[in-house]
PDB file of all heavy atoms in Angstrom:
ATOM      1  N   SER B1285     -26.691  13.583  63.801  1.00 95.00           N
ATOM      2  CA  SER B1285     -26.428  12.279  64.426  1.00 95.00           C
ATOM      3  C   SER B1285     -25.538  11.503  63.474  1.00 95.00           C
ATOM      4  O   SER B1285     -25.887  11.264  62.326  1.00 95.00           O
ATOM      5  CB  SER B1285     -27.787  11.566  64.613  1.00 95.00           C
ATOM      6  OG  SER B1285     -27.546  10.228  64.936  1.00 95.00           O
ATOM      7  N   GLU B1287     -22.188  10.910  61.022  1.00 94.00           N
ATOM      8  CA  GLU B1287     -21.448  11.764  60.016  1.00 94.00           C
ATOM      9  C   GLU B1287     -22.358  12.084  58.862  1.00 94.00           C
ATOM     10  O   GLU B1287     -23.061  11.203  58.313  1.00 94.00           O
ATOM     11  CB  GLU B1287     -20.215  10.961  59.547  1.00 94.00           C
ATOM     12  CG  GLU B1287     -19.418  11.586  58.429  1.00 94.00           C
ATOM     13  CD  GLU B1287     -18.328  12.509  58.897  1.00 94.00           C
ATOM     14  OE1 GLU B1287     -18.216  12.809  60.104  1.00 94.00           O
ATOM     15  OE2 GLU B1287     -17.579  12.981  57.976  1.00 94.00           O
ATOM     16  N   ASN B1304     -31.725  27.206  68.068  1.00 92.00           N
ATOM     17  CA  ASN B1304     -33.125  27.610  67.987  1.00 92.00           C
ATOM     18  C   ASN B1304     -33.454  28.635  66.906  1.00 92.00           C
ATOM     19  O   ASN B1304     -34.178  29.584  67.098  1.00 92.00           O
ATOM     20  CB  ASN B1304     -33.585  28.174  69.375  1.00 92.00           C
ATOM     21  CG  ASN B1304     -35.048  27.967  69.543  1.00 92.00           C
ATOM     22  OD1 ASN B1304     -35.669  27.155  68.895  1.00 92.00           O
ATOM     23  ND2 ASN B1304     -35.656  28.725  70.467  1.00 92.00           N
ATOM     24  N   ILE B1324     -38.074  23.211  57.512  1.00 98.00           N
ATOM     25  CA  ILE B1324     -37.329  22.103  58.142  1.00 98.00           C
ATOM     26  C   ILE B1324     -36.697  21.331  56.998  1.00 98.00           C
ATOM     27  O   ILE B1324     -37.334  20.998  56.008  1.00 98.00           O
ATOM     28  CB  ILE B1324     -38.269  21.193  58.942  1.00 98.00           C
ATOM     29  CG1 ILE B1324     -38.870  22.002  60.125  1.00 98.00           C
ATOM     30  CG2 ILE B1324     -37.604  19.930  59.374  1.00 98.00           C
ATOM     31  CD1 ILE B1324     -39.893  21.217  60.939  1.00 98.00           C
ATOM     32  N   GLY B1350     -36.561  18.066  51.659  1.00 98.00           N
ATOM     33  CA  GLY B1350     -35.390  17.171  51.708  1.00 98.00           C
ATOM     34  C   GLY B1350     -34.233  17.866  50.991  1.00 98.00           C
ATOM     35  O   GLY B1350     -34.447  18.811  50.202  1.00 98.00           O
ATOM     36  N   ARG B1353     -26.477  17.382  49.396  1.00 98.00           N
ATOM     37  CA  ARG B1353     -25.365  18.096  48.722  1.00 98.00           C
ATOM     38  C   ARG B1353     -24.674  17.043  47.842  1.00 98.00           C
ATOM     39  O   ARG B1353     -24.210  16.038  48.360  1.00 98.00           O
ATOM     40  CB  ARG B1353     -24.437  18.653  49.780  1.00 98.00           C
ATOM     41  CG  ARG B1353     -23.231  19.409  49.213  1.00 98.00           C
ATOM     42  CD  ARG B1353     -22.400  19.942  50.333  1.00 98.00           C
ATOM     43  NE  ARG B1353     -21.234  20.657  49.916  1.00 98.00           N
ATOM     44  CZ  ARG B1353     -20.296  21.076  50.739  1.00 98.00           C
ATOM     45  NH1 ARG B1353     -20.399  20.861  52.060  1.00 98.00           N
ATOM     46  NH2 ARG B1353     -19.241  21.741  50.268  1.00 98.00           N
ATOM     47  N   SER B1363     -20.607  22.035  45.351  1.00 98.00           N
ATOM     48  CA  SER B1363     -21.352  23.166  45.934  1.00 98.00           C
ATOM     49  C   SER B1363     -22.825  23.096  45.529  1.00 98.00           C
ATOM     50  O   SER B1363     -23.567  24.063  45.706  1.00 98.00           O
ATOM     51  CB  SER B1363     -20.717  24.495  45.471  1.00 98.00           C
ATOM     52  OG  SER B1363     -20.771  24.572  44.063  1.00 98.00           O
ATOM     53  N   GLU B1379     -38.538  28.970  49.550  1.00 98.00           N
ATOM     54  CA  GLU B1379     -37.766  30.228  49.431  1.00 98.00           C
ATOM     55  C   GLU B1379     -36.798  30.392  50.596  1.00 98.00           C
ATOM     56  O   GLU B1379     -35.663  30.785  50.359  1.00 98.00           O
ATOM     57  CB  GLU B1379     -38.773  31.386  49.371  1.00 98.00           C
ATOM     58  CG  GLU B1379     -38.141  32.576  48.679  1.00 98.00           C
ATOM     59  CD  GLU B1379     -39.060  33.840  48.778  1.00 98.00           C
ATOM     60  OE1 GLU B1379     -40.266  33.674  48.611  1.00 98.00           O
ATOM     61  OE2 GLU B1379     -38.489  34.900  49.067  1.00 98.00           O
ATOM     62  N   GLU B1391     -25.162  26.429  45.465  1.00 98.00           N
ATOM     63  CA  GLU B1391     -26.106  26.645  44.337  1.00 98.00           C
ATOM     64  C   GLU B1391     -27.179  25.582  44.489  1.00 98.00           C
ATOM     65  O   GLU B1391     -26.913  24.380  44.797  1.00 98.00           O
ATOM     66  CB  GLU B1391     -25.373  26.476  43.021  1.00 98.00           C
ATOM     67  CG  GLU B1391     -24.286  27.476  42.887  1.00 98.00           C
ATOM     68  CD  GLU B1391     -24.041  27.900  41.444  1.00 98.00           C
ATOM     69  OE1 GLU B1391     -24.957  28.103  40.733  1.00 98.00           O
ATOM     70  OE2 GLU B1391     -22.837  27.914  41.095  1.00 98.00           O
ATOM     71  N   ASN B1412     -23.592   3.132  33.991  1.00 98.00           N
ATOM     72  CA  ASN B1412     -23.853   1.729  33.696  1.00 98.00           C
ATOM     73  C   ASN B1412     -23.540   1.382  32.222  1.00 98.00           C
ATOM     74  O   ASN B1412     -23.007   0.329  31.945  1.00 98.00           O
ATOM     75  CB  ASN B1412     -25.360   1.409  33.974  1.00 98.00           C
ATOM     76  CG  ASN B1412     -25.580   1.182  35.467  1.00 98.00           C
ATOM     77  OD1 ASN B1412     -24.632   1.136  36.250  1.00 98.00           O
ATOM     78  ND2 ASN B1412     -26.816   1.027  35.823  1.00 98.00           N
ATOM     79  N   ALA B1423     -14.429  -0.246  23.752  1.00 98.00           N
ATOM     80  CA  ALA B1423     -13.176   0.541  23.769  1.00 98.00           C
ATOM     81  C   ALA B1423     -12.566   0.375  25.125  1.00 98.00           C
ATOM     82  O   ALA B1423     -13.169  -0.148  26.066  1.00 98.00           O
ATOM     83  CB  ALA B1423     -13.491   2.015  23.468  1.00 98.00           C
ATOM     84  N   GLY B1441     -14.167  11.561  32.565  1.00 98.00           N
ATOM     85  CA  GLY B1441     -14.953  10.574  31.791  1.00 98.00           C
ATOM     86  C   GLY B1441     -15.788   9.691  32.789  1.00 98.00           C
ATOM     87  O   GLY B1441     -15.560   9.727  33.969  1.00 98.00           O
ATOM     88  N   TYR B1465     -37.486   2.149  39.891  1.00 97.00           N
ATOM     89  CA  TYR B1465     -37.761   2.283  38.465  1.00 97.00           C
ATOM     90  C   TYR B1465     -37.910   0.931  37.750  1.00 97.00           C
ATOM     91  O   TYR B1465     -38.604   0.810  36.748  1.00 97.00           O
ATOM     92  CB  TYR B1465     -36.660   3.112  37.755  1.00 97.00           C
ATOM     93  CG  TYR B1465     -36.665   4.549  38.248  1.00 97.00           C
ATOM     94  CD1 TYR B1465     -35.536   5.129  38.849  1.00 97.00           C
ATOM     95  CD2 TYR B1465     -37.784   5.348  38.062  1.00 97.00           C
ATOM     96  CE1 TYR B1465     -35.548   6.435  39.313  1.00 97.00           C
ATOM     97  CE2 TYR B1465     -37.789   6.686  38.533  1.00 97.00           C
ATOM     98  CZ  TYR B1465     -36.678   7.214  39.127  1.00 97.00           C
ATOM     99  OH  TYR B1465     -36.700   8.504  39.565  1.00 97.00           O
ATOM    100  N   ARG B1475     -19.557  -4.873  37.113  1.00 98.00           N
ATOM    101  CA  ARG B1475     -18.388  -4.395  37.847  1.00 98.00           C
ATOM    102  C   ARG B1475     -18.721  -3.850  39.232  1.00 98.00           C
ATOM    103  O   ARG B1475     -17.898  -3.936  40.141  1.00 98.00           O
ATOM    104  CB  ARG B1475     -17.642  -3.345  37.036  1.00 98.00           C
ATOM    105  CG  ARG B1475     -16.778  -3.955  35.952  1.00 98.00           C
ATOM    106  CD  ARG B1475     -16.097  -2.980  35.044  1.00 98.00           C
ATOM    107  NE  ARG B1475     -15.591  -3.720  33.927  1.00 98.00           N
ATOM    108  CZ  ARG B1475     -14.393  -4.307  33.903  1.00 98.00           C
ATOM    109  NH1 ARG B1475     -13.616  -4.212  34.921  1.00 98.00           N
ATOM    110  NH2 ARG B1475     -14.032  -5.025  32.880  1.00 98.00           N
ATOM    111  N   LEU B1485     -16.447  -9.717  51.164  1.00 93.00           N
ATOM    112  CA  LEU B1485     -15.569 -10.832  51.530  1.00 93.00           C
ATOM    113  C   LEU B1485     -14.622 -10.452  52.661  1.00 93.00           C
ATOM    114  O   LEU B1485     -14.164 -11.254  53.412  1.00 93.00           O
ATOM    115  CB  LEU B1485     -14.705 -11.198  50.297  1.00 93.00           C
ATOM    116  CG  LEU B1485     -15.308 -12.098  49.195  1.00 93.00           C
ATOM    117  CD1 LEU B1485     -14.227 -12.372  48.171  1.00 93.00           C
ATOM    118  CD2 LEU B1485     -15.785 -13.402  49.802  1.00 93.00           C
TER     119      LEU B1485
END
Side-chain angles (χ1 to χ4, degrees):
Chain B
S1285 168
E1287 172 90 353
N1304 208 19
I1324 293 176
R1353 181 179 178 188
S1363 60
E1379 203 187 319
E1391 298 210 47
N1412 280 355
Y1465 294 120
R1475 280 176 192 273
L1485 279 183

